[in-house]
Amino acid sequence: MAELVDRLFVHCTELVTLADGPPVGARRGAGMQGLGVVADGAVAVRDGSIVATGPTDAIARAYRAAEELDLSGHVVLPGLVDCHTHPVFAATREAEFHQRCAGADYMAIAAAGGGILSSMRALRALPEAELAARTTQHLWGFLQHGTTAIEAKSGYGLSLDDEVKSLRALGAALAEVPLAARRTFLGAHEFPPEYRDRRDAYVDLVIQQMLPAVRELADDCDVFAEPGVFDRSQSERILRAAKALGFGLRVHADEIQPMGGAELAAAVGALSADHLGRISDAGIEALAHSDTVAVLLPGTIFFLGKPHHAPARRMLAAGCAVALATDFNPGSCFTQSLPLIATIACRQLQMTPEEVLTAMTINAAAALRMDHERGSLHPGKRADLCVLDLPSWRAFGYAFGGNPVALTVVGGRPVLANVAERWPEFFSSGGPRHG
Ligand code: NIG
Ligand code: FE
């Protein structure tokens, strides 16, 4: 007698489970090569969680459900996990993109009062409810690209009130959108103009006032540790103060100029060290011997037109736990597409497609401490799925420039179809929800 479940997803051309590796923990080295691909695969779901995966004929014999969704012609991945994003902003910055296209440098634009400070001015001028509405729009963009869990940072407020406003707007947006999230306070993203000439006083403000004020609004604390922005000792002071309050730690480390940011991240026990375009050999060693996940953001280097991609192959060979993310933000990387990041990672970082898929599922989930629930299709985890309109998982990264995501499933429930007419039974009331 077949066991009753809520829903069956059947006849996936290929089901990428990542279930031949351990369910929990970031994978390293050769552990990033196994994807656990099941041909003609199926997933049985109850109460939003995976009961079993396997070949469709075996799953259909063992389980029955009132609802069955035929995914033939599609490849199914675990819901993608984007472990570094900046979605709380008021306005796009295409004028700066044009300046860069004409040869201007990102840090020079920032030093002249553009960049992060132009986003700060726009955000400060926007009422909280409108900021929440815009953030909600940005969050739907992740679901459109198959992402079901994100890390989301503040960092365009740069005052006590505006950082609180940003994190409250983020909370309101997350309540509207079926995305799992880890919220990060990034008050140390830039020095606001009113503290330009007394930088240590801004560091004091972050430590003494902002961190306690956002303790309930954010899970983690991040710092843009970069020459010309937060120097090593300012970064370390903020990170240690955040740790003492119980925040998880993240660091924008060695992005544009080397500064020992990776070493600092490992030393303070950060969950992740991110960017790493200019990581040193000592930084690679420090990360390889730590639990700090190395989050690579090759879309940013691509979009800024910089020459220094992170040395991914050396990091992988050294045994670093490598994850990939978009860095979605209005300045340095305006995309919510992890499938696009996959293409850039394969070709510019020389990562294998297997490593790339591991880096944006289980390893990204580990960077968010969500690996118990997400990042692979082991029984017991949430039934979050990314359904691709591709002939094979091998076409992930290969197909670029369009959006290969056909359907996004969260907790066993289809929440967004990019081609809604294919699954009318799930979207009878006016088509898919999206921003
Ligand atoms: O991760 N590097 C600092 N922060 C962002 C960019 C923010 C912006 O330009 O608005 C980043 O690239
Ligand atoms: Fe960033």
Side-chain angles (χ1 to χ4, degrees):
M1 178 68 180
E3 186 181 329
L4 185 65
V5 293
D6 297 337
R7 185 168 288 148
L8 291 172
F9 296 92
V10 297
H11 295 306
C12 311
T13 302
E14 290 169 343
L15 179 69
V16 177
T17 64
L18 282 100
D20 53 358
V24 173
R27 299 183 188 178
R28 301 171 192 246
M32 294 182 74
Q33 296 292 353
L35 295 181
V37 179
V38 181
D40 191 15
V43 185
V45 178
R46 188 191 299 121
D47 296 332
S49 295
I50 297 167
V51 175
T53 63
T56 294
D57 56 358
I59 295 292
R61 272 197 305 276
Y63 301 96
R64 63 194 167 85
E67 291 190 318
E68 203 172 283
L69 189 54
D70 186 330
L71 293 176
S72 47
H74 294 84
V75 171
V76 177
L77 310 177
L80 301 175
V81 179
D82 195 342
C83 59
H84 181 136
T85 87
H86 304 248
V88 190
F89 59 87
T92 53
R93 303 207 316 254
E94 57 274 18
E96 239 176 66
F97 175 69
H98 284 234
Q99 284 177 277
R100 286 206 304 279
C101 291
D105 174 71
Y106 175 72
M107 290 305 274
I109 294 170
I116 292 167
L117 292 182
S118 96
S119 284
M120 178 207 75
R121 289 188 292 273
L123 183 141
R124 287 183 177 182
L126 199 69
E128 183 175 315
E130 183 56 27
L131 181 61
R134 290 188 199 180
T135 302
T136 303
Q137 295 288 120
H138 302 153
L139 297 185
W140 277 109
F142 293 107
L143 286 154
Q144 281 171 325
H145 291 91
T147 295
T148 55
I150 62 166
E151 182 266 7
K153 304 175 197 293
S154 69
Y156 294 116
L158 309 182
S159 73
L160 175 61
D161 288 352
D162 292 295
E163 284 297 312
V164 167
K165 176 173 100 175
S166 298
L167 288 165
R168 285 169 48 99
L170 174 63
L174 287 167
E176 296 291 315
V177 176
L179 264 180
R182 205 159 159 119
R183 308 154 302 166
T184 300
F185 163 66
L186 179 55
H189 197 191
E190 179 52 287
F191 290 93
E194 57 275 22
Y195 283 92
R196 211 80 194 148
D197 301 321
R198 37 191 197 111
R199 295 183 162 215
D200 285 328
Y202 186 68
V203 174
D204 291 340
L205 177 74
V206 168
I207 291 172
Q208 288 161 18
Q209 295 187 43
M210 293 191 193
L211 280 172
V214 302
R215 185 53 284 222
E216 298 303 318
L217 297 172
D219 307 293
D220 302 332
C221 172
D222 192 349
V223 176
F224 187 15
E226 180 76 26
V229 197
F230 292 83
D231 68 23
R232 176 152 177 147
S233 87
Q234 292 165 334
S235 299
E236 182 162 358
R237 276 181 63 206
I238 293 168
L239 292 165
R240 293 210 183 274
K243 187 171 190 169
L245 289 174
F247 288 90
L249 305 181
R250 303 184 184 283
V251 187
H252 278 69
D254 302 321
E255 175 178 354
I256 296 164
Q257 294 299 327
M259 200 185 83
E263 294 92 315
L264 173 62
V268 297
L271 297 172
S272 66
D274 302 47
H275 281 289
L276 308 172
R278 305 300 304 278
I279 189 172
S280 67
D281 290 347
I284 293 175
E285 277 308 302
L287 291 184
H289 295 102
S290 76
D291 289 330
T292 302
V293 176
V295 176
L296 308 187
L297 306 162
T300 306
I301 299 295
F302 166 76
F303 196 63
L304 293 181
K306 293 276 177 196
H308 301 287
H309 275 289
R313 287 261 52 99
R314 285 201 288 126
M315 298 176 74
L316 289 160
C320 296
V322 171
L324 287 161
T326 60
D327 196 21
F328 171 66
N329 75 76
S332 67
C333 197
F334 193 61
T335 183
Q336 290 121 319
S337 174
L338 281 170
L340 172 61
I341 299 304
T343 301
I344 302 173
C346 286
R347 299 309 302 126
Q348 304 300 122
L349 299 183
Q350 277 83 47
M351 290 176 68
T352 68
E354 291 89 341
E355 288 167 342
V356 165
L357 273 167
T358 304
M360 47 181 67
T361 53
I362 187 68
N363 282 14
L368 301 187
R369 292 290 187 268
M370 290 186 185
D371 44 329
H372 286 87
E373 290 255 272
R374 297 184 166 79
S376 65
L377 302 183
H378 287 86
K381 290 199 184 187
R382 299 296 293 167
D384 291 359
L385 308 175
C386 167
V387 180
L388 299 168
D389 196 1
L390 294 175
S392 153
W393 74 266
R394 294 173 194 280
F396 186 73
Y398 157 80
F400 80 110
N403 183 0
V405 176
L407 179 73
T408 304
V409 174
V410 174
R413 205 169 62 86
V415 296
L416 191 145
N418 287 324
V419 197
E421 59 274 16
R422 290 210 191 135
W423 293 286
E425 64 272 35
F426 286 99
F427 296 100
S428 50
S429 56
R433 290 180 63 202
H434 64 74

